[in-house]
Amino acid sequence: MSEQTQAQSQSQGPAARRVVVVGAGMAGVQTAVALREQGFTGPVTLIGAEPHQPYDRPPLSKAVLLGKAEGSAFDIDFEALDIGLVLGREALGVRAGDHELDTAAGPVPYDVLVVATGAEPIQLPGAAGMPGVHLLRTLDDAERLRPVLARQHDIVVVGAGWIGAEFATAAREAGCAVTVVEAADRPLAGALPDEVAAPMAAWYADSGATLRTGARVERVEPGAVILDDGSRVPAGAVVVGIGARPATAWIAGSGIELGAEREILADDHLRTSLPDVYAVGDCASFPSGRYEDRLLVHHWDNALQGPRTVAANIVGEAPAAYDPVPYFWSEQFGRFVQYVGHHAPADTLVWRGDPTGASWSVCWLRETRLVALLAVGRPRDLAQGRRLIEAGQRMDPRLLADPSRPLKGATA
């Protein structure tokens, strides 16, 4: 950027600046919409790598996958909001000195850049691009998998995390024989403690799916998955759900500081290490004063909430620090699982109800203060727990352990 252009940019008011948002998922779309809702009148351009109208991802593993819905496009009139929509254009890099975003179709100038490129699934080593091996992250992925389920193939799901469980649920509903292969000794090993995740293993058998824990994929062959113990699992199709990582490879060399997970290190207002560049959603971590930790949250609610902070910063409202209580949900094997907050291994765990039953909850306390809650079929616990966590409420562990007592009646 020339000195003259820099001077012009600095003299412009907030409304006159050009905002470019990279990533047309929930975080990017909500950033563009929030700018308009908060009164920003300058140019807003939303750039997405996929050719499809921006869409919501949670239905992909449910209604779209099972053919109950053709898509999940956001019900947003981008033209009426005067949001420029540029689809099918991949971002390639950022040149901060020039205030330009490099794309496959050439550079795009910006005054303010918002990076919202989300996360990308981790590939199964040695199986990327093999026929019959699938991921489930995009609308195209779901559309490729829909006829596989309709033909009721034998399905092998690699990974018993959230997405693996949701896909296994859909595949069983479609009538497929399902085997889930998990390298750890239990489902959700990276997300929940042993004693909380262990009861969930029974859900697989209850649904008619086979769960094989402590098993690693040695290789994928036509019609089968070979495990490291030599066993052969029939597979008309393989679905890989072994996690996701921030989609940030394209900004290498830009000067944007990245963390250990390759996520963008945003500050408490979601600003990056470069001037005039923000990051929001799955691609960015942020410091939480509430939890005294840096959080990387790969969930829908974070992509919905963060954009409001970014938009407020851009319009000059000087918002409070971004410090949400994380929340997510999962529908699996006939159960509605919700989690709110953030727990650490040292936090005290309190059970509410029988984990072999249809509904139960687990609370995490830090010096008697409620910091996180997992609810299975107990939406009232979740709703009350969320408010108590936001308030930093101290609880009485003895009262809390009584599942018949409302959470709000178990305060210290």
Side-chain angles (χ1 to χ4, degrees):
M1 181 182 291
S2 69
E3 291 183 7
Q4 179 181 2
T5 306
Q6 284 180 327
Q8 289 173 343
S9 176
Q10 291 168 357
S11 66
Q12 291 172 344
R17 292 180 297 165
R18 298 163 298 183
V19 177
V20 174
V21 183
V22 190
M26 171 63 81
V29 166
Q30 290 300 322
T31 298
V33 171
L35 282 166
R36 293 300 187 227
E37 289 178 344
Q38 296 185 31
F40 183 79
T41 58
V44 176
T45 302
L46 180 62
I47 298 177
E50 295 183 54
H52 309 291
Q53 280 290 115
Y55 59 88
D56 203 7
R57 293 190 188 278
L60 297 184
S61 61
K62 305 172 185 71
V64 175
L65 187 62
L66 290 170
K68 298 177 181 179
E70 287 304 312
S72 56
F74 292 113
D75 185 18
I76 294 170
D77 190 336
F78 293 98
E79 185 176 356
L81 291 172
D82 194 22
I83 295 170
L85 201 54
V86 180
L87 302 175
R89 185 178 297 188
E90 186 178 1
L92 302 177
V94 178
R95 286 180 288 112
D98 296 327
H99 269 57
E100 286 187 340
L101 171 75
D102 286 325
T103 76
V108 177
Y110 68 84
D111 293 310
V112 179
L113 179 68
V114 182
V115 180
T117 45
E120 56 194 5
I122 298 172
Q123 301 273 2
L124 184 65
M130 287 187 63
V133 177
H134 301 264
L135 300 168
L136 181 53
R137 182 71 182 180
T138 68
L139 179 59
D140 288 340
D141 292 337
E143 290 179 344
R144 281 189 289 265
L145 277 165
R146 191 156 56 186
V148 173
L149 266 60
R151 290 193 293 268
Q152 297 187 332
H153 279 292
D154 290 340
I155 304 287
V156 171
V157 180
V158 183
W162 300 113
I163 191 66
E166 290 185 0
F167 180 82
T169 299
R172 286 298 300 139
E173 186 175 334
C176 300
V178 178
T179 300
V180 180
V181 176
E182 170 57 51
D185 61 356
R186 63 190 186 282
L188 294 167
L192 297 173
D194 296 10
E195 62 266 45
V196 178
M200 298 178 175
W203 300 356
Y204 289 78
D206 291 346
S207 76
T210 299
L211 174 63
R212 298 191 59 170
T213 58
R216 294 182 180 274
V217 175
E218 182 71 27
R219 65 185 183 276
V220 178
E221 296 180 350
V225 170
I226 311 302
L227 303 182
D228 58 356
D229 64 358
S231 59
R232 184 179 186 274
V233 184
V238 178
V239 178
V240 179
I242 55 176
R245 60 168 60 97
T248 56
W250 66 278
I251 61 172
S254 67
I256 295 177
E257 187 178 358
L258 302 181
E261 304 295 324
R262 291 188 0 195
E263 85 280 13
I264 296 171
L265 294 176
D267 70 6
D268 59 1
H269 286 75
L270 301 180
R271 297 171 296 211
T272 74
S273 56
L274 292 182
D276 303 320
V277 180
Y278 295 83
V280 65
D282 291 5
C283 67
S285 66
F286 55 90
S288 169
R290 185 191 308 273
Y291 290 105
E292 299 180 340
D293 197 2
R294 176 168 282 274
L295 305 185
L296 175 60
V297 182
H298 282 188
H299 295 297
W300 186 90
D301 192 62
N302 179 52
L304 177 67
Q305 304 293 341
R308 297 168 188 164
T309 293
V310 173
N313 273 283
I314 292 172
V315 301
E317 289 189 356
Y322 183 62
D323 198 5
V325 174
Y327 166 75
F328 73 91
W329 77 95
S330 177
E331 297 176 59
Q332 51 184 270
F333 308 118
R335 294 165 172 84
F336 189 46
V337 183
Q338 296 173 284
Y339 177 93
V340 63
H342 174 71
H343 71 271
D347 294 332
T348 301
L349 192 151
V350 179
W351 286 92
R352 285 173 58 80
D354 180 0
T356 65
S359 62
W360 47 275
S361 297
V362 173
C363 299
W364 283 268
L365 301 180
R366 189 171 302 172
E367 297 178 354
T368 75
R369 182 169 53 90
L370 186 64
V371 293
L373 181 143
L374 175 81
V376 177
R378 291 180 68 98
R380 182 174 297 177
D381 273 9
L382 191 287
Q384 293 183 11
R386 190 172 195 171
R387 289 192 290 269
L388 293 167
I389 292 170
E390 289 171 346
Q393 181 64 53
R394 296 191 177 278
M395 311 297 292
D396 182 325
R398 181 181 56 83
L399 299 178
L400 191 62
D402 179 1
S404 66
R405 180 184 294 272
L407 269 176
K408 62 183 180 181
T411 58

